[in-house]
Each structure stands twice: as structure tokens, then as C-alpha cells.
Amino acid sequence: MLRKCHLIASTALEKNHQAAPGAIALIDALLRTKTPFLIVSEESQHPRIEMVEHYHGLGFASFSPDIIFTSTMAAIDWVAREYPNRISAAYIGGRGMKASLQEASFDLLSKQPQWLFLGYDPNAASPDYNEALRLLKQGTVLLNTDSSPVHEGVRKTMVGCGAIASMLEYASGKKCLDFGRPSVITMASALKYAGCQPKDAVYIGDDFQKDIVPAIRLKMDTAYVTLGSSIYGTGITDDVHPKWIVEDLGGLAH
């Protein structure tokens, strides 16, 4: 067991809508040894309490919703730090995103919001994106919280938030601020939320480019979970590489 604050990419904990190999053992070990940890997620559909219930349904032990840190929270933290007086926002996302914005006291009723938060929303449709385009054309800034180009649902694959963000960028002629993977800003915000310094943290992820590279840039220790996949072609070099490579999360639980 690594005696450091563990920041864990949510994608490393769940595969094909089941607990990833070794994931339950790792979380059990962290809880048993009272090792601080944080689950970093792009999820915006559900409030954090429902995300905890989801993990419990997969077989994980119960833990506090405060253990989960989302990219929406990172975007909110960035706005609060850089533009503390600009707190009017619109959003395309789920109840989780709305709850986070309300907790941060954003004005969600403004007709000309300063920010447009974008997350995955399976119920969003053409009128929503047309309204988003109108806002962007009038000066609203787009904050994307999920870089995934596709969303793998239980029954089908759907267009992801990253693809929607690219569409809105192209249509509006304006670049978004991206807090989805990979985002150094989101990782730095997660460290701040966890109350630990990079030297005292290890980032655990299953995607070398999206998880490990930005964590290395922040000078965190890193653990790359391969789940049996080859490391060739991932971009690992002698100069940029994880400190640990494990086949599954069980390798970090001992």
C-alpha cells in the first residue's frame, strides 16, 4: 500500500459497467488503513450521493460523497478563483452539474449568462445546442467538463460531450475552456480539494495520455493500470513514464 494521498480516475474503477479487476480490493484497503483518497470523475449526470450509491451497487464499500471530485467542481473552482464576481451561468448537463452550480451559488436564471457549463446530457437536443450557440455568439464562455467524444451507455454508444464541444466551437468560432481529461487544471484543483501537495500524492489512471502525462507535469507520482493491455504505442518513453505500472488495481492494494 502506497502511503500517499490517492487520486484515482473514475474510469480505472469501472469497466463495462462492472467493478474493474482489483478495484474493490483497493478501495477496501484505503478505507481500512484510513489512507486519504479521492475519485476524480467527469460525471455530471448524477449528484455525488447517487454516484456513491452506484459504486455501492457495483460491490464497493460505502464511502462519503465528499470522496468524489468532478470536473464540474474543477471548472467552478477555476471561475471562483479567476473571476469571483462573474457567477451567472447556463448549463447543458445533468442533475449533478446543476447541484454543483447551485451549491456554489451561481445564478442560473440570467438571460445572458457569463458561462456555459457543458457536460454529458442524454436528454439534450437540437434546441438546446441552438440556444448554446446563440449564447456563445453573444459572448458567453463555454466551459467543457467532459472531453469524451463518445459515451458508452449500457445498451448503446452515443455522441459524447467532447464531440458536442467541438461542434459548438466550430459553429461559434470560439474555443472552449476544457476541464475534461486530460486537464492539468482539474488535477491541480483536485489536489487543492484533497488538501495535499503533489509530492504527497499518487495519481492512478488507466489512460497514459489522459491521466498519467498531466499528473507527471504536476510532479505527482503515478500508477498506470494496464488491465492487461500492451504499453507499446501508449507514448511511454524513458523521459515520460509512470513510476509504477500494474496490470490491475489489486497490485496497489498490498
Side-chain angles (χ1 to χ4, degrees), residues 20-59:
I24 291 175
L26 175 61
I27 297 301
D28 283 347
L30 294 172
L31 291 169
R32 184 178 63 256
T33 59
K34 298 182 179 180
T35 302
F37 71 97
L38 198 63
I39 298 171
V40 184
S41 174
E42 293 177 306
E43 169 72 67
S44 68
Q45 289 187 71
H46 305 289
R48 289 185 291 168
I49 183 64
E50 293 181 12
M51 295 169 68
V52 170
E53 293 169 354
H54 170 73
Y55 282 117
H56 188 60
L58 295 178

Side-chain angles (χ1 to χ4, degrees), residues 13-254:
L13 293 176
E14 181 179 352
K15 293 297 175 187
N16 300 318
H17 310 290
Q18 296 181 338
I24 291 175
L26 175 61
I27 297 301
D28 283 347
L30 294 172
L31 291 169
R32 184 178 63 256
T33 59
K34 298 182 179 180
T35 302
F37 71 97
L38 198 63
I39 298 171
V40 184
S41 174
E42 293 177 306
E43 169 72 67
S44 68
Q45 289 187 71
H46 305 289
R48 289 185 291 168
I49 183 64
E50 293 181 12
M51 295 169 68
V52 170
E53 293 169 354
H54 170 73
Y55 282 117
H56 188 60
L58 295 178
F60 290 88
S62 295
F63 49 80
S64 168
D66 293 337
I67 293 298
I68 296 175
F69 183 83
T70 69
S71 50
T72 297
M73 294 167 64
I76 289 171
D77 179 64
W78 180 85
V79 170
R81 185 173 64 251
E82 299 293 333
Y83 301 95
N85 297 318
R86 300 182 65 181
I87 57 170
S88 64
Y91 71 95
I92 296 175
R95 291 178 293 108
M97 176 173 281
K98 182 179 180 180
S100 293
L101 290 168
Q102 289 176 328
E103 288 172 10
S105 299
F106 273 77
D107 174 12
L108 301 181
L109 300 178
S110 174
K111 294 183 179 180
Q112 189 54 51
Q114 294 147 333
W115 311 102
L116 173 60
F117 286 75
L118 179 63
Y120 178 70
D121 183 353
N123 298 314
S126 181
D128 301 298
Y129 301 131
N130 290 339
E131 174 62 10
L133 178 59
R134 182 190 72 81
L135 293 175
L136 297 179
K137 287 285 191 179
Q138 293 183 3
T140 299
V141 178
L142 180 63
L143 306 177
N144 183 36
T145 66
D146 185 344
S147 61
S148 303
V150 297
H151 179 84
E152 297 293 345
V154 176
R155 296 181 179 85
K156 59 183 177 180
T157 299
M158 302 178 69
V159 175
C161 191
I164 299 299
S166 295
M167 175 189 72
L168 291 173
E169 284 183 323
Y170 182 80
S172 67
K174 298 180 180 180
K175 296 292 289 182
C176 73
L177 296 174
D178 204 335
F179 295 85
R181 299 162 72 215
S183 171
V184 170
I185 297 175
T186 293
M187 285 192 180
S189 186
L191 281 169
K192 174 186 170 185
Y193 178 84
C196 63
Q197 298 297 317
K199 65 181 178 64
D200 300 318
V202 55
Y203 199 94
I204 302 167
D206 63 323
D207 188 301
F208 178 73
Q209 294 297 333
K210 291 182 177 181
D211 299 322
I212 306 305
V213 171
I216 290 173
R217 289 177 59 189
L218 287 172
K219 302 188 183 306
M220 280 190 274
D221 282 342
T222 54
Y224 176 39
V225 186
T226 68
L227 295 175
S229 299
S230 172
I231 64 172
Y232 295 104
T234 59
I236 294 175
T237 67
D238 290 339
D239 295 323
V240 182
H241 57 84
K243 187 167 184 177
W244 297 281
I245 298 176
V246 295
E247 184 170 347
D248 63 58
L249 290 168
L252 301 172
H254 305 294

